[in-house]
Amino acid sequence: MLQYSAVCTDREWVVCANPDGADACGDSGEWDTIFTKKYYGTAIDDSNDGKKVTLIHRTTCDMAELLPGMINYTTLMILILLLTLYMWYLGKRELRFDEDNTTPSDYTLVVRNPPKDAVDPDEWRDFFSTFSDKSVTLCTVALNNGPLVAKLVTRRELLKTLKQRLLGGAEIGVDFDERDVDTAVENARRYREGEEAKRNCLIKLPSCIFTTLQQRCLGKGLTESMLWERIKNTTKEIEELQKAEYKAAAVFVTFETELGQRTALEALNASELEILTNVATNLDATALFRGEVVLRVEEASEPNSVRWKDLHTNTISRYLSQIITMAITTGLVSLSGYVLYLTRLTVDTFAFAIILSALNSIIPIVLRSLVSFEKHYDEGAVQRSFYINITFFRWVNTAIITRIVTPTLATIGAEKIDLINTVNSMMISEMVVSPMLRYLDFYTILEMHYFAPRAKTEEEMLSYFTGGWYNLAERFT
């Protein structure tokens, strides 16, 4: 069965020496690894005054020949050609699918570099109406009020959480009376303290420790008094932010027809050099906003994927955040590589594969937190960045590092520690360990079996049954 495989079992012991007779392997006492014990040894050379020499167990199989090499390269070229044709076919199918399924993005375009003072929607409507036979349906001017939007979102989340903490899930509308909420918070506090007083000391101690860790590390498990205090502080911050004067950050224009959007995109299609220098060389004069501004116009993403808090960020900030994330990912790759290097040289192959699979499952959770700090215009860009970072980590971790830490002598052998059998163990581990880690989702189990039974409202209880974290970018890697 091994005749036409890459495995070679024919080996012989030879002296590890240079052509001039000098020892090429150094002191074998420095090597204390599983590979040393299998493929290196020492002996006494009687023909050289009983000198101690180092032996290696090398393969005697023939090197790669022309015909097998050409067959392999031809197969690779055919595979690349078929993949190219398949990608072309998928592109055609994607275009057809997009035409058959109409969405708001098919009618909408976005301006990424509007003049800061161009905040009047009527001005933008009049400008884009010249590119369509029918009128512009909607025009939205997004302002550089990202901090304000973030605070509004935070306040809404806090209000929702507070509603779940209050007895009976008290209603908190848009215009609520603070005195009524103060009374409801005080009643909820008294009820909670009364329930805690009924518990014995053995239950209070772990509950106190766990709640403190939640509040300090995760920002969860806040009491109703803490939530209400944060809401009042956030409201004051919002009132201060509302006093500021904001500039235009992006403009979304929705046309009556798809033809109107495509006509506008074609007429305003400027090169990157024209946009950066604001000098129109191939554009018509009617394509310049206010007769002087070269606009960066592109098809808009879906409404639910727009990241409104990041629309005000510039290109430098976006790329800088991505570079920082990639630098941290590279550091994680280096750390993981060192751990795998020590593991590869000291433990069993299957244990090495399990550790590798565990790292490939745990590190994406860290990368998800890192990517959340990046600035992107839409969720598609977030997924793309997340996918690149995870792919880079897993590819280097699984393929490059595994090959680097494996000695050349252990490349094509049939032993358990050799590279080919190591790859086999890695595949088995990925099929077993990774799904098991996803199944044994500790935090999800904790939410369903600890937090859900203690929820005060049905809405809060159902929120603990949302399941584990799932991400397309992570699955595609």
Side-chain angles (χ1 to χ4, degrees):
M1 293 180 64
L2 299 178
Q3 182 177 1
Y4 297 103
S5 71
V7 177
C8 176
T9 57
D10 297 332
R11 291 179 175 272
E12 65 176 356
W13 288 98
V14 297
V15 177
C16 181
N18 291 323
D20 58 0
D23 191 349
C25 294
D27 185 7
S28 61
E30 299 175 359
W31 315 327
D32 188 17
T33 69
I34 57 177
F35 298 104
T36 306
K37 299 171 183 177
K38 191 70 180 178
Y39 293 114
Y40 295 86
T42 57
I44 302 299
D45 188 359
D46 295 332
S47 63
N48 192 13
D49 300 329
K51 183 179 179 181
K52 184 179 179 181
V53 295
T54 302
L55 304 177
I56 58 173
H57 201 202
R58 72 170 186 180
T59 177
T60 58
C61 297
D62 294 334
M63 302 296 290
E65 298 179 355
L66 178 61
L67 180 59
M70 294 305 298
I71 293 176
N72 289 337
Y73 279 117
T74 302
T75 304
L76 179 62
M77 293 299 106
I78 294 175
L79 180 61
I80 293 175
L81 176 61
L82 292 177
L83 285 176
T84 303
L85 293 175
Y86 182 63
M87 294 301 295
W88 172 81
Y89 172 75
L90 284 182
K92 293 293 185 182
R93 295 292 298 178
E94 181 183 359
L95 181 60
R96 181 176 177 180
F97 178 81
D98 182 63
E99 291 176 348
D100 292 341
N101 295 269
T102 303
T103 61
S105 64
D106 296 325
Y107 297 84
T108 307
L109 57 79
V110 58
V111 180
R112 295 296 184 191
N113 63 335
K116 300 300 182 183
D117 59 341
V119 295
D120 184 8
D122 292 333
E123 183 181 11
W124 288 102
R125 181 197 60 193
D126 296 338
F127 173 74
F128 280 101
S129 295
T130 59
F131 302 104
S132 176
D133 295 336
K134 296 187 177 181
S135 62
V136 172
T137 304
L138 296 171
C139 183
T140 302
V141 179
L143 305 177
N144 60 341
N145 57 352
L148 175 60
V149 175
K151 289 295 180 182
L152 289 171
V153 173
T154 301
R155 184 176 181 273
R156 177 173 293 185
E157 292 174 347
L158 291 172
L159 284 171
K160 182 178 180 180
T161 306
L162 177 62
K163 176 184 174 182
Q164 296 173 348
R165 293 283 189 274
L166 298 180
L167 297 176
E171 290 294 333
I172 302 178
V174 178
D175 298 323
F176 55 83
D177 191 341
E178 290 192 5
R179 291 174 296 182
D180 294 339
V181 180
D182 286 333
T183 303
V185 169
E186 181 63 21
N187 293 336
R189 183 188 64 80
R190 291 177 180 175
Y191 176 80
R192 175 176 53 81
E193 292 177 351
E195 291 294 318
E196 291 176 353
K198 298 177 183 178
R199 302 175 185 173
N200 57 48
C201 296
L202 294 177
I203 298 178
K204 282 184 180 180
L205 182 59
S207 177
C208 181
I209 295 174
F210 185 73
T211 303
T212 303
L213 290 175
Q214 262 198 317
Q215 295 173 356
R216 299 291 185 183
C217 301
L218 302 176
K220 296 183 178 181
L222 300 176
T223 63
E224 57 284 331
S225 301
M226 294 179 180
L227 288 169
W228 181 229
E229 189 64 29
R230 287 196 179 188
I231 291 171
K232 290 191 286 188
N233 293 335
T234 305
T235 303
K236 293 178 181 178
E237 294 176 359
I238 291 173
E239 291 173 352
E240 291 296 325
L241 290 172
Q242 286 177 330
K243 298 176 183 179
E245 182 179 354
Y246 296 104
K247 306 296 183 181
V251 180
F252 295 86
V253 182
T254 303
F255 292 85
E256 184 72 23
T257 61
E258 290 186 63
L259 180 61
Q261 182 228 37
R262 295 177 182 177
T263 303
L265 287 173
E266 183 178 354
L268 299 171
N269 184 22
S271 65
E272 191 67 27
L273 181 61
E274 289 177 309
I275 296 172
L276 293 176
T277 59
N278 196 33
V279 176
T281 57
N282 299 318
L283 291 177
D284 189 76
T286 57
L288 301 178
F289 183 71
R290 293 177 176 175
E292 58 182 11
V293 180
V294 179
L295 300 176
R296 183 191 299 274
V297 181
E298 59 191 46
E299 183 176 344
S301 55
E302 298 299 332
N304 58 356
S305 68
V306 177
R307 293 169 64 92
W308 299 99
K309 295 185 291 185
D310 296 339
L311 290 178
H312 66 284
T313 56
N314 54 39
T315 304
I316 296 177
S317 299
R318 291 189 296 111
Y319 283 118
L320 181 61
S321 63
Q322 295 174 47
I323 291 173
I324 293 174
T325 302
M326 181 56 70
I328 297 176
T329 303
T330 304
L332 292 174
V333 169
S334 302
L335 178 61
S336 174
Y338 181 69
V339 172
L340 292 175
Y341 169 73
L342 297 178
T343 305
R344 181 76 168 120
L345 299 182
T346 55
V347 302
D348 181 74
T349 300
F350 192 69
F352 167 79
I354 291 177
I355 294 173
L356 177 61
S357 298
L359 288 171
N360 284 342
S361 299
I362 295 172
I363 294 299
I365 301 176
V366 180
L367 294 179
R368 177 183 60 171
S369 301
L370 292 175
V371 173
S372 66
F373 290 101
E374 294 183 359
K375 304 298 182 181
H376 296 278
Y377 290 144
D378 54 68
E379 292 297 333
V382 176
Q383 293 294 312
R384 183 165 54 250
S385 177
F386 190 37
Y387 172 79
I388 291 173
N389 282 276
I390 297 181
T391 301
F392 171 67
F393 177 86
R394 286 181 170 171
W395 177 61
V396 175
N397 211 35
T398 305
I400 304 300
I401 293 178
T402 303
R403 179 61 188 91
I404 290 176
V405 300
T406 303
T408 305
L409 290 174
T411 302
I412 59 175
E415 299 295 334
K416 188 177 180 180
I417 61 175
D418 290 338
L419 182 62
I420 293 179
N421 287 321
T422 301
V423 172
N424 183 46
S425 298
M426 288 163 54
M427 290 183 176
I428 295 175
S429 176
E430 287 292 335
M431 289 188 294
V432 176
V433 176
S434 297
M436 285 298 295
L437 289 175
R438 294 191 184 99
Y439 181 76
L440 299 175
D441 189 347
F442 172 75
Y443 191 72
T444 301
I445 294 174
L446 186 67
E447 283 188 329
M448 292 189 295
H449 297 282
Y450 181 82
F451 294 113
R454 292 162 177 79
K456 295 182 175 62
T457 63
E458 183 179 4
E459 183 181 6
E460 182 185 3
M461 181 191 68
L462 294 176
S463 67
Y464 293 122
F465 288 89
T466 55
W469 172 68
Y470 183 90
N471 192 285
L472 287 178
E474 191 269 338
R475 289 293 185 267
F476 271 115
T477 61

